[in-house]
């Protein structure tokens, strides 16, 4: 039996500040239907796919943005997406802001099976940006004010005939993300992102956003022998332009499908999960070639060590 899965990356254009959940869910359902027509079994939506990217605005009280968070999943507003997925027999992955019953705020991804049941959740590990108002910036990136770092870390799920992992936006820039998932045997990594083209701390990076986007996801795919699906919410949202260029990357590191324009659209590819073995069993045979005894620093320190300190 082949382990081929047709995956759709459902790129979104901007979501306006005053766009209602039901208007957004209608857009998601339209993309889900387009994915189903193409034969997709899994449709992947971006990070924070139900709302505008609200961390671009400061509120004195961190609870000031709570109306952008979901307190349950599915909710009355998102249930139609779950119902339509089950009717179509298409699974999906959806990014949203999560407010837990005990008051924690996370940037979350949920993976839903073809029968509408929840397979698993992932809460963003690497939270970028800042937590205080920085008026010198043309717009804020206050993820560190509005989201806590995941207490759970990375995990994989046996789903869609393979081993599926999730990550969100800034996570994709860190090799540790892919390697931890790789050590769990991941074969398909789903990554949603909102990446403003303007990076205020170092605008020299602005023209390199697309290059860096592919650089990190392609190397993560190749070095761990896994498919990677990167899905954007891009275009000009409330005056801020974000990267589109959604892409599906094979375990070879090659891009097999890529969005060439912004806006709501689906790109898709038939992903042969058995291709992962070509890399996992050869160059990146972890059990044979890795030297974890020399990698201790990776998990024992957060920043660069002081080499003058005795260790
Ligand atoms: N959403 C998200 O994580 N965006 C970051 C922006 C750069 S940090 C201000 C990213 O890594 O794409």
């Amino acid at each position: 039996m082949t382990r081929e899965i047709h995956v759709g990356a459902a790129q979104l254009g901007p979501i306006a500040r005053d766009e209602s959940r039901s208007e957004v869910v209608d857009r998601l359902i339209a993309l889900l239907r387009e994915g189903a027509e193409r034969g997709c079994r899994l449709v992947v939506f971006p990070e924070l796919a139900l709302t505008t990217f609200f961390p671009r605005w400061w509120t004195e009280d961190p609870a000031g943005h709570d109306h952008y968070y979901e307190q349950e999943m599915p909710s009355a507003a998102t249930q139609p997406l779950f119902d339509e997925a089950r009717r179509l027999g298409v699974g999906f992955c959806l990014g949203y802001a999560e407010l837990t019953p005990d008051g924690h705020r996370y940037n979350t991804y949920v993976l839903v099976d073809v029968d509408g049941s929840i397979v698993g959740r992932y809460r963003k590990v690497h939270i970028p940006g800042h937590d205080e108002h920085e008026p010198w910036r043309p717009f804020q990136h206050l993820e560190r004010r509005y989201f806590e770092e995941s207490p759970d870390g990375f995990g994989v799920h046996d789903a869609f005939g393979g081993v599926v992992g999730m990550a969100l936006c800034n996570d994709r820039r860190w090799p540790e993300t892919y390697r931890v998932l790789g050590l769990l045997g991941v074969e398909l990594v789903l990554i949603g992102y909102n990446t403003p083209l303007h990076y205020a701390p170092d605008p020299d990076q602005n023209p390199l956003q697309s290059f860096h986007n592919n650089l990190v996801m392609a190397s993560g795919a190749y070095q761990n022998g896994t498919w990677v699906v990167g899905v954007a919410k891009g275009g000009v949202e409330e005056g801020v332009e974000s990267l589109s260029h959604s892409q599906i990357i094979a375990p070879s590191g090659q891009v097999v499908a890529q969005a060439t324009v912004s806006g709501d659209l689906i790109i898709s590819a038939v992903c042969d999960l058995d291709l992962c073995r070509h890399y996992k069993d050869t160059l990146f045979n972890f059990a044979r070639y890795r030297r974890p005894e020399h990698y201790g620093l990776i998990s024992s320190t957060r920043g660069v060590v002081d080499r003058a300190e005795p260790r």
Side-chain angles (χ1 to χ4, degrees):
M1 188 184 120
T2 70
R3 292 198 309 134
E4 288 185 345
I5 170 168
H6 195 159
V7 182
Q11 177 176 284
L12 286 176
I15 298 178
R17 197 172 186 167
D18 59 1
E19 209 164 323
S20 70
R21 290 288 200 291
S22 66
E23 285 171 304
V24 177
V25 167
D26 284 349
R27 287 169 60 183
L28 304 183
I29 288 174
L31 289 167
L32 201 66
R33 288 182 180 147
E34 196 184 325
E37 274 166 31
R38 285 182 181 221
C40 295
R41 250 177 85 73
L42 171 62
V43 168
V44 186
F45 296 107
E47 176 191 43
L48 298 179
L50 292 171
T51 63
T52 199
F53 190 79
F54 60 87
R56 73 169 65 93
W57 295 291
W58 161 263
T59 61
E60 189 68 43
D61 178 357
H65 282 330
D66 277 0
H67 56 289
Y68 289 119
Y69 291 74
E70 308 303 312
Q71 299 197 33
E72 46 181 354
M73 187 57 66
S75 59
T78 51
Q79 186 64 53
L81 180 66
F82 283 70
D83 293 344
E84 187 63 3
R86 191 177 55 237
R87 191 185 74 76
L88 295 168
V90 178
F92 66 90
C93 188
L94 177 72
Y96 63 100
E98 176 191 8
L99 178 56
T100 68
D102 52 349
H104 294 283
R105 297 180 182 83
Y106 298 111
N107 190 338
T108 299
Y109 230 176
V110 66
L111 182 63
V112 178
D113 212 336
V114 295
D115 63 358
S117 63
I118 289 179
V119 175
R121 276 189 185 76
Y122 165 74
R123 291 164 174 160
K124 189 170 178 175
V125 166
H126 300 100
I127 308 291
H130 49 110
D131 48 17
E132 290 301 328
H133 193 209
E134 297 187 4
W136 58 271
R137 295 173 182 254
F139 54 90
Q140 304 294 295
H141 197 109
L142 287 156
E143 280 196 68
R144 295 187 69 81
R145 182 169 187 82
Y146 298 116
F147 298 119
E148 290 172 47
E149 294 170 337
S150 168
D152 316 316
F154 298 101
V156 294
H157 304 279
D158 294 315
F160 300 95
V163 183
V164 182
M166 293 176 272
L168 283 164
C169 198
N170 192 259
D171 288 323
R172 76 194 190 288
R173 302 187 192 273
W174 299 90
E176 294 86 348
T177 299
Y178 307 91
R179 184 46 50 93
V180 172
L181 291 173
L183 287 166
L184 291 166
V186 79
E187 297 173 316
L188 181 63
V189 183
L190 314 177
I191 306 176
Y193 60 89
N194 283 259
T195 294
L197 294 184
H198 179 69
Y199 182 58
D202 178 18
D204 282 349
Q205 295 179 32
N206 296 359
L208 303 174
Q209 292 290 2
S210 180
F211 167 66
H212 288 156
N213 184 48
N214 173 257
L215 179 72
V216 291
M217 294 196 294
S219 30
Y222 168 63
Q223 291 167 347
N224 295 279
T226 181
W227 289 87
V228 169
V229 179
V231 193
K233 171 145 72 64
V236 183
E237 185 181 88
E238 299 293 348
V240 175
E241 185 165 18
S242 291
L243 182 72
S244 294
H245 295 189
S246 301
Q247 49 199 269
I248 299 176
I249 302 168
S252 60
Q254 292 168 293
V255 174
V256 297
Q258 180 164 15
T260 52
V261 292
S262 298
D264 290 13
L265 58 86
I266 288 247
I267 57 165
S268 71
V270 175
C271 302
D272 178 356
L273 300 178
D274 288 331
L275 265 184
C276 300
R277 293 258 62 93
H278 290 233
Y279 292 86
K280 290 185 192 291
D281 290 346
T282 60
L283 264 169
F284 296 110
N285 181 334
F286 290 170
R288 185 168 190 189
Y289 297 119
R290 287 181 78 251
R291 300 291 308 282
E293 62 273 34
H294 298 302
Y295 309 152
L297 277 179
I298 288 176
S299 58
S300 66
T301 180
R302 189 160 173 155
V304 176
V305 293
D306 180 354
R307 284 181 293 119
E309 285 278 309
R311 280 188 281 136

